[in-house]
Amino acid sequence: VPREMKLSRTLVGQLSLALVVSVALATLLIGRLSSLYRAEVHQPEARGPIGEIYGLFTAGQTFVAPGPGLARIDVILSTYGRPNQGPLVFHLREAGTAADIATIPFDAATVENNVYRTFTFPPLRDSAGKAYFFFIEALSSTPGNAITAGYSIRDAYRMGTAFRGEEAQAGDLAFAVYSSYAPGTLLADTGLALADMVRWAIPALAIFLLPGAALLALLWPRNGFAQLWADTTDPAQLAALAAGLSVALASLLLLFASTAGLRLGTLPLATILLGCAAVVLWRFIRFGPRIRDTLATWKSWFRLSESWLLLIIFAVSLLVRLVVVRQLEIPRWADSVHHTMITQLLVEHGRLFDSWEPYAPLSTFTYHFGFHALATYLHWLTGIEVPRAVVLTGQILNGLAPLTAYLLAARLARSRWAGIFAALFVGLLSPMPMFYVNWGRYTQLAALVILPVAVVLTLPLIRPSTAHVRLLLVAAIGLAGLALAHYLMLTFYATLISLYFLAEILALPRPARTWATSATWRVTGGAGWIGGMIKPGLWLVALIALVAILLLPWEIRIVQGRLLNNLVAIVGDAPKSEFVSQHNAVGDIFFFVPQPLVVLALGAAVWGLVRRRWAVVMGMSWIAALLLVSNPYWLGLPGTGVVNNFAVIIAVFLPLSIIIGAGLADLLVQCTVRWKQVQGIAVALTAVIVVLAIPDRLLALQPDTALVAPADVKAMAWIRQNTPATAKFLVNSRLFYAGTTALGADAGWWIPLLAGRQTTLPPMVYALEQAPGGAEFRAGLRRLAEQIRDLPPDSPALQATLCERGVTHVYLGAQGGPLDPRALRESPYYRLAYDEGGVLIFTLDPAICITRSD
């Protein structure tokens, strides 16, 4: 058979196989999506029952469907702790109509106490923006033999209201609304995400890859030491190094420029990035023959099926993260307020700042800023609005997390398959770090992208035979960037490096012990150990000293803020105090690491221990050390709460990825020894797992973490156009951490950024920074939050506080909070100025303050 015909048959066979596999995976994904529901509305507050449901006393709720495809409604039902009998019916109608869209019968005997009951129906494709009404009816039930529905007397959901029979109630039922996530919806969302990428993909590549690549090009050893940094035949490891170093360099660039009195902006940043590109190009030209040899090895890497599998994992992980935020213009939850504010201030100043004016009355800036530097750069190069730039930067970092996890697992286990399994776990199987988008936990995410790179660059320094001055410099840059990304993540780094250092010391050879040398064995053996510790210890000391020098300008800043005072206070606090207990609380561990993943990790750990896999032992030891660091009172030591359990448990995916990656990779190797086709089967199974995991990650965004609703964005525009620049708004706030910190409850917290007006509540980092009034300023915020919670709007004490603070308006966002809209409507001292989409804006009667001043 001619060679050309053989090649043709091989190509046709490969294409046919690829087509069959693609169709099978697409069918699998479509089937998985057909039973998928995306949460659109969630009102979880149930403070008591609405009343027994019987006869004409139905329990219902009006609501507005945010999107198309309304297909499911969950309602908290209760039994009063007793068995009930009789038929019930769930009705769904368009608001103001008498015809049922869905009628679902069920029996009272099947109702569980205080548990969501799910009602599904065919998707309503045109439901977006429409008002609906659902109610539960029990015509044959009687008092004492009737169920009820969970109810909040507070108006927790502003877009609708609860009904008892035909009478509207003051509050809302506890319910959730879901839409069907059909394959067509996923396809449309993917198209929107890809279209949006066009505007920022190239600038993002420059920001997140070029600086690190240029640093490696300048300092990459020209000898065998290069293999210590990464496997040079593996371009994925080099890309991970470049990405992690680029994230680290972002904050250092801003720090050095600010120290030198320079202002950065679009043109200076573009010039720096072009210089980085020139350095990389010079490296290719200067060392052309070696580069060509490297490219030849990379070409063989791309021929491996597992290499393509890694690329698919990375691409799908990133794309899913972008699909989830395709329409998210304002980042979520409390942390995002100060993240966006810091980014906005960096954009305006072009360098580090001290005063937070005009957005907040704070006079120092000591918060870690690595993430904010990246978001600032993305805004400068693309022109994307700052809040959206914060969202995109967070998701890009989230997409890079599997890549750097691949690097760490592959280097520790010395197996690319270990890295692939680790990337699969971080990118698609684990809820974390994907879920970070709900909290705006972007600073910790940035640090977790740098952390694997900093560790990989430090490990060779611990072995005297592999330490190198260039390696020391690059490791110092990575570690300094880690510190500026998130202070607490330094403990993650320190625990792993300490464990590695201890393992190296324990592995040092000692003189053989015999009867002839028993008298001197202890002396010579101890001397050998001490001598073995000195060199790596000196390298680590040099690393710490170099990092301290790089961060010296920032260390001077930290002394000016309140960060050290807070640290001392936490260290001195009792481990059982209410503050530490709340600050160190974890919640449902299986929410962060679901039970199937726990079983997978335990299985990989057991296998790794049986096989004596060093990377598995290191991963398990790392988790144990982190738990001790966050709970030092277990050992009778102070400092509980400095590193809290929550920060550890939401980042435990990284050490777990090492355990799972190393354990599964070793299992794969052992199976391959017996059955040669095992790797092909592993590739196929991993591809199936990727497809099955996609839908779960698509549901990462939770509706109840959004402080800013579309109606709030519209209200912000109204504020800019209809209120004076001197207006100041009272906004909803709540006390957290044993009543020590006041945090916002709705979109009113965003008014300074989105509407350019002052509010009564600064971002949550006010506890870390200096402010006029000092301790009294912070105490005043706590007192105001208590008054909002405990006093009616007509209270003289609350009104006196508002006059003292110069409040002119009151804002109640769509999310809701402690401020009672009914009481404000009924009060003669507040005039309703805006009422749309669940957002209420009141003006405070100036006569109140004039009367009080008289």
Side-chain angles (χ1 to χ4, degrees):
V1 180
R3 181 172 180 272
E4 292 79 5
M5 186 175 295
K6 286 184 178 179
L7 291 176
S8 177
R9 289 177 180 176
T10 302
L11 180 60
V12 170
Q14 290 176 345
L15 290 176
S16 300
L17 179 61
L19 180 61
V20 171
V21 171
S22 300
V23 171
L25 292 177
T27 304
L28 189 64
L29 180 59
I30 291 172
R32 185 83 169 80
L33 290 172
S34 62
S35 59
L36 203 64
Y37 298 97
R38 179 173 53 189
E40 301 275 12
V41 175
H42 188 207
Q43 196 300 95
E45 191 174 291
R47 299 188 177 184
I50 194 172
E52 290 183 302
I53 302 172
Y54 65 92
L56 298 178
F57 291 101
T58 61
Q61 174 78 36
T62 58
F63 67 93
V64 175
L70 174 65
R72 171 181 157 186
I73 297 174
D74 292 357
V75 187
I76 290 183
L77 300 181
S78 302
T79 65
Y80 291 102
R82 67 194 179 206
N84 300 288
Q85 304 293 329
L88 300 101
V89 181
F90 171 89
H91 300 268
L92 175 65
R93 300 172 179 175
E94 278 197 42
T97 67
D100 281 2
I101 297 173
T103 306
I104 305 173
F106 63 108
D107 195 280
T110 64
V111 174
E112 299 181 64
N113 194 36
N114 295 323
V115 174
Y116 277 107
R117 179 83 180 203
T118 296
F119 303 96
T120 59
F121 40 87
L124 307 178
R125 297 302 175 194
D126 59 346
S127 60
K130 288 187 176 181
Y132 292 91
F133 173 55
F134 71 82
F135 65 97
I136 296 171
E137 184 179 46
L139 294 177
S140 61
S141 295
T142 57
N145 179 36
I147 68 164
T148 186
Y151 172 72
S152 170
I153 194 172
R154 187 177 69 87
D155 187 12
Y157 174 68
R158 298 285 174 75
M159 302 293 286
T161 189
F163 278 81
R164 173 117 165 102
E166 295 184 355
E167 184 178 348
Q169 304 297 299
D172 299 285
L173 294 186
F175 71 105
V177 173
Y178 296 80
S179 63
S180 173
Y181 204 96
T185 305
L186 175 59
L187 189 62
D189 289 346
T190 303
L192 290 173
L194 291 173
D196 185 57
M197 279 185 65
V198 174
R199 20 182 331 217
W200 55 262
I202 294 178
L205 281 172
I207 294 169
F208 288 90
L209 282 179
L210 269 183
L215 180 64
L216 292 175
L218 285 172
L219 298 177
W220 192 266
R222 302 174 189 177
N223 50 34
F225 289 113
Q227 203 67 18
L228 299 173
W229 303 35
D231 184 350
T232 53
T233 64
D234 185 353
Q237 292 189 30
L238 298 177
L241 274 178
L245 288 172
S246 295
V247 175
L249 284 166
S251 53
L252 290 172
L253 170 62
L254 193 58
L255 175 63
F256 296 153
S258 301
T259 304
L262 303 176
R263 289 175 60 93
L264 295 177
T266 303
L267 184 58
L269 179 63
T271 303
I272 291 170
L273 292 176
L274 286 174
C276 292
V279 169
V280 174
L281 182 61
W282 164 80
R283 178 74 183 196
F284 270 84
I285 296 174
R286 175 70 177 79
F287 302 102
R290 284 187 200 167
I291 295 299
R292 283 194 292 272
D293 293 341
T294 301
L295 291 177
T297 61
W298 289 4
K299 186 177 180 181
S300 63
W301 182 85
F302 278 99
R303 292 174 180 170
L304 299 175
S305 56
E306 57 265 32
S307 301
W308 284 100
L309 183 61
L310 174 64
L311 292 175
I312 290 171
I313 292 171
F314 172 69
V316 171
S317 299
L318 178 60
L319 185 57
V320 167
R321 284 154 168 77
L322 297 177
V323 167
V324 166
V325 299
R326 73 216 172 279
Q327 295 177 330
L328 185 61
E329 298 296 330
I330 310 296
R332 296 294 188 91
W333 213 231
D335 287 18
S336 295
V337 177
H338 59 266
H339 292 333
T340 308
M341 190 175 291
I342 291 170
T343 304
Q344 183 66 46
L345 286 164
L346 291 176
V347 167
E348 294 175 2
H349 288 80
R351 56 187 174 188
L352 298 177
F353 55 89
D354 292 314
S355 171
W356 293 59
E357 296 289 355
Y359 305 110
L362 304 176
S363 56
T364 60
F365 175 54
T366 59
Y367 191 75
H368 36 237
F369 61 94
F371 166 79
H372 314 91
L374 292 164
T376 300
Y377 299 161
L378 188 65
H379 166 79
W380 279 336
L381 293 187
T382 63
I384 294 173
E385 294 294 328
V386 168
R388 177 65 177 170
V390 168
V391 172
L392 288 176
T393 303
Q395 292 305 85
I396 293 170
L397 288 169
N398 218 315
L400 290 175
L403 184 62
T404 55
Y406 167 84
L407 171 69
L408 182 59
R411 297 302 290 168
L412 290 181
R414 299 180 182 179
S415 166
R416 293 179 186 176
W417 269 108
I420 290 172
F421 290 134
L424 175 63
F425 178 79
V426 173
L428 292 170
L429 294 183
S430 172
M432 307 295 146
M434 181 70 173
F435 202 81
Y436 282 20
V437 67
N438 290 288
W439 304 318
R441 195 84 178 190
Y442 298 134
T443 52
Q444 184 168 347
L445 181 60
L448 288 169
V449 170
I450 302 172
L451 177 61
V453 173
V455 169
V456 166
L457 292 173
T458 305
L459 294 184
L461 295 176
I462 298 176
R463 294 181 176 177
S465 60
T466 59
H468 193 275
V469 174
R470 295 190 182 200
L471 185 59
L472 174 68
L473 180 57
V474 180
I477 290 173
L479 185 54
L482 176 65
L484 293 177
H486 200 288
Y487 302 136
L488 295 184
M489 291 302 101
L490 288 174
T491 59
F492 283 63
Y493 168 89
T495 51
L496 183 56
I497 294 301
S498 299
L499 289 169
Y500 191 92
F501 182 77
L502 179 61
E504 287 295 317
I505 297 303
L506 293 176
L508 286 174
R510 292 183 294 177
R513 183 173 186 173
T514 65
W515 68 271
T517 61
S518 59
T520 59
W521 184 85
R522 287 190 178 88
V523 176
T524 57
W529 267 21
I530 294 173
M533 293 173 62
I534 290 177
K535 286 188 177 180
L538 290 176
W539 278 105
L540 290 179
V541 169
L543 175 64
I544 295 171
L546 186 53
V547 170
I549 293 172
L550 290 174
L551 297 180
L552 184 59
W554 188 248
E555 292 160 8
I556 296 173
R557 272 179 167 266
I558 288 178
V559 175
Q560 300 171 354
R562 300 190 65 255
L563 189 63
L564 296 180
N565 293 339
N566 287 7
L567 180 63
V568 171
I570 294 175
V571 170
D573 205 349
K576 298 296 185 180
S577 72
E578 187 179 359
F579 169 78
V580 171
S581 297
Q582 290 189 20
H583 184 63
N584 214 33
V586 176
D588 183 6
I589 294 178
F590 294 119
F591 172 78
F592 306 107
V593 188
Q595 292 177 345
L597 298 184
V598 173
V599 173
L600 177 63
L602 289 175
V606 170
W607 175 264
L609 290 176
V610 171
R611 293 278 303 154
R612 299 182 181 180
R613 297 297 93 183
W614 181 85
V616 172
V617 175
M618 190 60 62
M620 296 174 65
S621 302
W622 193 13
I623 294 175
L626 289 174
L627 290 175
L628 286 176
V629 167
S630 57
N631 300 280
Y633 72 93
W634 291 353
L635 301 177
L637 299 175
T640 298
V642 174
V643 179
N644 59 28
N645 284 320
F646 180 75
V648 171
I649 202 68
I650 67 172
V652 78
F653 68 86
L654 189 57
L656 283 179
S657 71
I658 298 172
I659 297 171
I660 291 173
L664 293 183
D666 186 73
L667 177 62
L668 181 66
V669 169
Q670 295 306 308
C671 292
T672 305
V673 171
R674 295 190 176 187
W675 304 287
K676 295 184 178 180
Q677 301 302 320
V678 168
Q679 287 205 4
I681 296 173
V683 170
L685 287 176
T686 307
V688 171
I689 292 172
V690 168
V691 171
L692 291 176
I694 288 174
D696 290 332
R697 300 290 75 81
L698 288 172
L699 300 180
L701 208 59
Q702 302 297 302
D704 53 345
T705 60
L707 294 180
V708 182
D712 290 300
V713 176
K714 190 174 182 180
M716 297 295 171
W718 184 91
I719 291 174
R720 287 194 299 270
Q721 298 171 3
N722 296 277
T723 63
T726 55
K728 188 171 185 178
F729 286 77
L730 170 67
V731 298
N732 271 307
S733 61
R734 292 192 178 101
L735 288 173
F736 288 83
Y737 304 126
T740 61
T741 307
L743 305 183
D746 62 20
W749 212 6
W750 281 86
I751 287 176
L753 282 165
L754 301 182
R757 301 294 184 267
Q758 294 295 313
T759 69
T760 54
L761 187 64
M764 65 184 294
V765 292
Y766 72 83
L768 306 177
E769 307 293 352
Q770 300 288 1
E776 178 55 33
F777 169 78
R778 295 183 290 276
L781 294 175
R782 295 193 294 272
R783 284 197 301 269
L784 179 58
E786 291 171 349
Q787 290 178 324
I788 292 173
R789 179 193 63 196
D790 301 332
L791 301 177
D794 284 347
S795 165
L798 176 58
Q799 291 181 358
T801 301
L802 299 185
C803 293
E804 179 185 346
R805 292 174 175 271
V807 172
T808 61
H809 294 74
V810 182
Y811 186 95
L812 279 69
Q815 183 78 358
L819 287 169
D820 187 352
R822 281 186 308 159
L824 287 166
R825 286 178 183 271
E826 295 169 359
S827 172
Y829 303 110
Y830 303 88
R831 182 178 63 84
L832 183 62
Y834 182 91
D835 181 1
E836 190 170 342
V839 178
L840 303 176
I841 300 176
F842 296 86
T843 58
L844 184 66
D845 186 352
I848 300 175
C849 298
I850 294 174
T851 302
R852 293 186 178 280
S853 64
D854 292 341

